[in-house]
Amino acid sequence: MSGAPPDALERAVEAALFAADEPMTAEDLSRHLGGAAVRPALAALAEHYAGRGVELVERGGRWLFQTAPDLAHLLRRDREDVRRLSRAATEALAIVAYHEPVSRAEIEAIRGVQTAKGTLDVLLEAGWIRVAGRREVPGRPTIYATTPAFLTHFGLQTRRDLPGIDELRAAGLLDPVDAAFAALTGGSDEPPDASPQKDDELS
Amino acid sequence: MSGAPPDALERAVEAALFAADEPMTAEDLSRHLGGAAVRPALAALAEHYAGRGVELVERGGRWLFQTAPDLAHLLRRDREDVRRLSRAATEALAIVAYHEPVSRAEIEAIRGVQTAKGTLDVLLEAGWIRVAGRREVPGRPTIYATTPAFLTHFGLQTRRDLPGIDELRAAGLLDPVDAAFAALTGGSDEPPDASPQKDDELS
Amino acid sequence: MTETAATLPALDESWDGLATRPGGDEALYLELDGWEGPLDLLLDLARRQKVDLLQLSILDLVDQYLVYINRAEALRLELAADYLVMAAWLAYLKSLLLLPRDPEMQPSPEELALKLQLRLQRLAAMREAAGRLMARDRLGRDVFARGAPEGLRVDRKALWQCDLFALMQAYGQVRARTRPVVHMVRERPVVTLEAALARVAAMLGTAIEWTDLRAFLPRAAEGEVPVDPRLRRSALASGFVAALELAKQGRAELMQREVFGPLLLRAARG
């Protein structure tokens, strides 16, 4: 935490972000502050607020002040403004986040069950996913991706911060079944070799 | 401003006030934070924030964060869009300039078409006309006149600098649009007739 | 790699899952609605084997699934069709795995089983990811944005533009537009119907030869100065109407030998 008094630009950025009712990108801020180069000020402020009760965080390229996570128990009390998601919606959201962009059919393929129309609507309405165009395959299905509001809500700076995403990717768990199957079986059409352990597994 | 890292209570007070929907008294805060003595923390925070872009202030016994007063202009920024005055507004302005003071009904009578309320509002907003009282006739209609800003904008010393009807006619500005057009393209066989017009508008 | 040493829980054991009520009465409490489809149920069953999903005993899993479905049917629970489809497919898979291997079969039963495992693995991965996502410090639940932000407002102010010439032009046009307008219709040389009727009737007389209508019209040679082409057009029109009128009155006959040909006229024969 910096003890130096803030310079004029730092003060302006601090005031603007405090007053803003939405997270702001550096470009938004710069435009609002007459074209100033705000990134150094953002960095200085983030450092200044680190460890305080309020922190300056970046979420999907947008900056906001929010209370420190370790104080959640003090602030949570009567607040219940967080939407409770059904299991279907929770899983669909995770699938969109980890696989984006995905079509509804791809979500259903992973979950092994049809996705009710309302499930994706809930996520769209919450502003956590958005329609990201269509896949250029027969039927041109709509595809979905997450939004900056998703990152903000779940406290992610970028999608790379999704819990465990690197491990999942490394383990091939974000690949479709067929790709994983091909990888496991050497990519050939031959049946998987009848190794003893494989037989054991299937015994 | 203090450079020392905030203690736990200070952080809690900071977060609670930041997240609060409305200003809180020390008692509110104390109750909220399990009965802690919050006043020293409030004092420390107020000192920490002094001179920053955001300040902690007490108003009628209630504490709140607010944007530093000298930065209030950041919350409300004016952006100037250059816009061309509409045809209707230009005509209305010209009529006010030549005939002032005039009521809206008189403007309409001269223009020969209805004049939307918004048209005069634009001229009032631009600061080129002002309400100049009411005409002492039934209905007491509001009458309008031009302002000094009007003269400045149009580079006029006084309204007497406005070209008279004869000058307008000499400049071809009194020709009906289609006749003027025909004259330009050489297709007209009739000269625009010089009907007698009152020349006493600039009384 | 270890052997599949998973000790399978007995089916009537109360699980930490959706299958039985917590602390359950083992009396076959089934809540199939609690599963999001057959794959979900399979995953739930697979997890109880407490092994990596790729080392799972597919045969055990199949057996457990089929037992569940049989119980549900015994209880006459309404089962969604996809549970039954999955049951049939798993029974088929089981038989393939147990029967002597047919080397011709494509894909082999082991491949089918592996694909099922891969699907379960992917669903499990996403389910776990969803759990971790939901457990993050969420804005509005664990961390909070400013409670009462003042908001940033950008007031758009119009800077109106107009110049003196535009003003003059506008005024000129208002005056021009609203000036009283007088329409002057200039008198034109015309041959009225009455004149044409009198003329054609007089000239027709008792002519018995077909005569071109144009012969009845005023001509320069007669000193009537029909030089103006507009007057000639008027005379032709009036003459034509006059001819029609005479024919209607039975005083003349009309004939035209061809389309657009000359209109011929003669006196009606008694």
Side-chain angles (χ1 to χ4, degrees), chain C residues 16-267:
Chain C
D16 181 18
L18 291 161
T20 54
R21 232 184 247 292
D25 165 17
E26 54 185 35
L28 307 181
Y29 175 73
L30 278 173
E31 195 190 342
L32 282 163
D33 286 343
W35 280 291
E36 303 245 342
L39 199 63
D40 187 22
L41 168 54
L42 269 174
L43 179 58
D44 200 358
L45 294 170
R47 280 211 165 129
R48 290 166 204 168
Q49 300 193 20
K50 295 197 169 71
V51 293
D52 185 300
L53 286 171
L54 282 183
Q55 298 173 29
L56 170 75
S57 166
I58 285 290
L59 282 180
D60 284 341
L61 185 62
V62 168
D63 283 338
Q64 290 177 40
Y65 185 87
L66 295 178
V67 165
Y68 256 90
I69 298 304
N70 288 337
R71 285 180 172 186
E73 287 186 316
L75 291 173
R76 296 183 192 166
L77 293 181
E78 284 286 336
L79 274 180
D82 46 355
Y83 285 88
L84 298 176
V85 170
M86 178 66 93
W89 187 81
L90 288 175
Y92 170 70
L93 177 62
K94 178 182 172 183
S95 69
L96 290 180
L97 288 168
L98 293 176
L99 287 171
R101 193 155 303 163
D102 174 2
E104 296 300 303
M105 181 173 172
Q106 286 291 343
S108 71
E110 286 77 13
E111 284 178 323
L112 292 174
L114 178 58
K115 284 199 174 180
L116 179 60
Q117 284 169 307
L118 290 171
R119 287 190 74 190
L120 290 172
Q121 206 190 12
R122 270 147 193 74
L123 177 59
M126 280 302 103
R127 182 154 301 165
E128 198 219 345
R132 290 172 72 180
L133 197 56
M134 292 301 141
R136 287 187 63 83
D137 290 324
R138 292 166 61 184
L139 190 66
R141 187 187 71 174
D142 308 295
V143 296
F144 298 91
R146 182 126 180 251
E150 293 91 346
L152 291 179
R153 271 181 51 195
V154 177
D155 291 341
R156 288 174 174 244
K157 208 175 146 191
L159 201 62
W160 294 103
Q161 228 180 18
C162 185
D163 59 28
L164 190 59
F165 179 72
L167 196 68
M168 301 299 92
Q169 202 173 33
Y171 189 67
Q173 284 175 9
V174 167
R175 300 313 305 240
R177 189 172 68 221
T178 57
R179 178 174 50 178
V181 177
V182 178
H183 287 284
M184 304 284 287
V185 180
R186 242 184 256 154
E187 215 173 317
R188 282 200 197 151
V190 292
V191 177
T192 63
L193 178 57
E194 288 74 17
L197 201 57
R199 180 178 177 94
V200 174
M203 288 180 70
L204 187 63
T206 56
I208 53 168
E209 291 301 314
W210 289 111
T211 310
D212 192 326
L213 173 65
R214 283 171 292 189
F216 297 92
L217 302 183
R219 254 181 277 191
E222 296 177 22
E224 295 187 20
V225 287
V227 278
D228 186 340
R230 287 184 292 182
L231 177 61
R232 198 153 48 216
R233 259 201 317 276
S234 168
L236 181 61
S238 308
F240 173 62
V241 178
L244 291 176
E245 179 62 23
L246 291 172
K248 187 179 155 197
Q249 293 173 9
R251 294 163 60 192
E253 289 180 358
L254 291 173
M255 182 177 71
Q256 194 172 27
R257 293 191 203 277
E258 57 187 348
V259 178
F260 298 124
L263 192 63
L264 304 177
L265 197 61
R266 69 179 177 194

Side-chain angles (χ1 to χ4, degrees), chain B residues 123-195:
Chain B
L123 298 175
L124 287 163
E125 184 204 314
W128 290 338
I129 68 170
R130 64 189 166 86
V131 170
R134 293 178 177 278
R135 182 141 358 265
E136 290 306 333
V137 297
R140 304 188 67 242
T142 304
I143 50 178
Y144 301 91
T146 53
T147 61
F150 164 80
L151 295 175
T152 308
H153 182 91
F154 290 91
L156 301 166
Q157 292 290 319
T158 75
R159 277 180 59 248
R160 295 203 162 273
D161 293 346
L162 283 170
I165 286 296
D166 288 336
E167 289 165 87
L168 292 180
R169 183 174 300 127
L173 290 174
L174 276 186
D175 300 346
V177 186
D178 48 356
F181 178 77
L184 276 177
T185 55
S188 167
D189 49 3
E190 292 176 76
D193 82 343
S195 69

